[in-house]
Amino acid sequence: YEEFGEVQEQRVIEGDGITVHADVFGHVVSRGGTIRLERNLVGGSARNAKGDIQVLGVASGATIQTAHGEVILQRAENCVISGTRVKVEHAVNCEIMGDEVEVASAEGGAIAGRRVAIGRAAPRRQGEMLVYVLRPDCARIDDAMAQVSARLEGFAQLLARHRTAIETLGAQADLRKYLMLAPRLRKGELVLTPEQEPQFRRLTVAVAPALKEMARLSQLAKAAESERQAGQALLERLQTQRGERLGAAGVAIGALAGEVQVRALDY
């Protein structure tokens, strides 16, 4: 849609990709594409469900919002602005929010974003200049990490108990003797005499219960170690996710001219 005349107060233009060449006092609503206002936006609004918004003139007392897109303004006064990415050359007493916010000069108002870059920030007469860094609330990840860590500790203790039980069984004289002889006999490194064969068979029968128990404990130990490794991999993924979320937040202000409050705001 392309409009060459003024958009009067209370008038609503709806479409897909809207360009207005004259001043806008009413409301421009787009389902997608780009909203491009080549003059001023005064007292009205520009809303885009999915796409960018550009105002080449001055935006004053207006609401400018895109759910998924970039907002680009030259000068904004007393406006409410939000978008995925917001770029404003000069903002006066505006409320601005976005994932990424870049303002060359900000006077008064409030600016909030995950990544905020301001060239110059200053209060405006009696109005405060507030900057909020949106910091992800990682409470759910922290809870999950605590639960995984507790399970890892449980598996570590279980694995230690199984290994201690295996070592205790292996310390029995008959079993230790059998475990020393059996592998060598299987490999042919050792050959029993006719007199020794009955003795070895009796030894095999005697240690059979202990061997069975040792095999059971070994399987349990392997299962516990497998669970421990899987839990450790999950914990590392959660740690990486937490670091990525927190690492995305940051603020940079080139110059301060007066009192400016910068705060972290969990979301």
Side-chain angles (χ1 to χ4, degrees), residues 176-192:
R176 187 169 67 250
K177 183 178 180 181
Y178 175 84
L179 293 174
M180 184 172 60
L181 293 174
R184 297 183 63 190
L185 289 170
R186 283 194 296 270
K187 293 177 181 178
E189 297 175 356
L190 185 65
V191 178
L192 297 177

Side-chain angles (χ1 to χ4, degrees), residues 108-127:
I111 297 175
R114 294 179 66 189
R115 290 176 294 280
V116 179
I118 303 174
R120 178 182 179 276
R124 176 75 171 184
R125 297 192 180 96
Q126 302 301 317

Side-chain angles (χ1 to χ4, degrees), residues 82-93:
S82 66
T84 306
R85 180 180 172 87
V86 179
K87 295 180 69 175
V88 184
E89 284 298 316
H90 192 177
V92 179
N93 287 335

Side-chain angles (χ1 to χ4, degrees), residues 3-9 11 13 20-28 37-44 55-59:
E3 173 65 65
F4 290 90
E6 287 186 352
V7 179
Q8 298 297 326
E9 189 175 353
R11 182 184 172 193
I13 293 179
V20 182
H21 296 276
D23 291 336
V24 175
F25 301 94
H27 307 283
V28 178
L37 309 183
E38 297 194 347
R39 295 289 296 276
N40 303 316
L41 173 62
V42 182
V55 180
L56 277 61
V58 175

Side-chain angles (χ1 to χ4, degrees), residues 93-117:
N93 287 335
C94 291
E95 296 178 3
I96 303 173
M97 178 178 287
D99 283 346
E100 297 183 33
V101 179
E102 184 178 336
V103 181
S105 177
E107 298 179 43
I111 297 175
R114 294 179 66 189
R115 290 176 294 280
V116 179

Side-chain angles (χ1 to χ4, degrees), residues 149-171:
S149 296
R151 285 182 61 82
L152 282 174
E153 179 62 27
F155 284 125
Q157 294 176 3
L158 184 61
L159 185 60
R161 288 199 299 270
H162 291 329
R163 286 175 174 170
T164 299
I166 291 171
E167 290 174 0
T168 302
L169 282 173

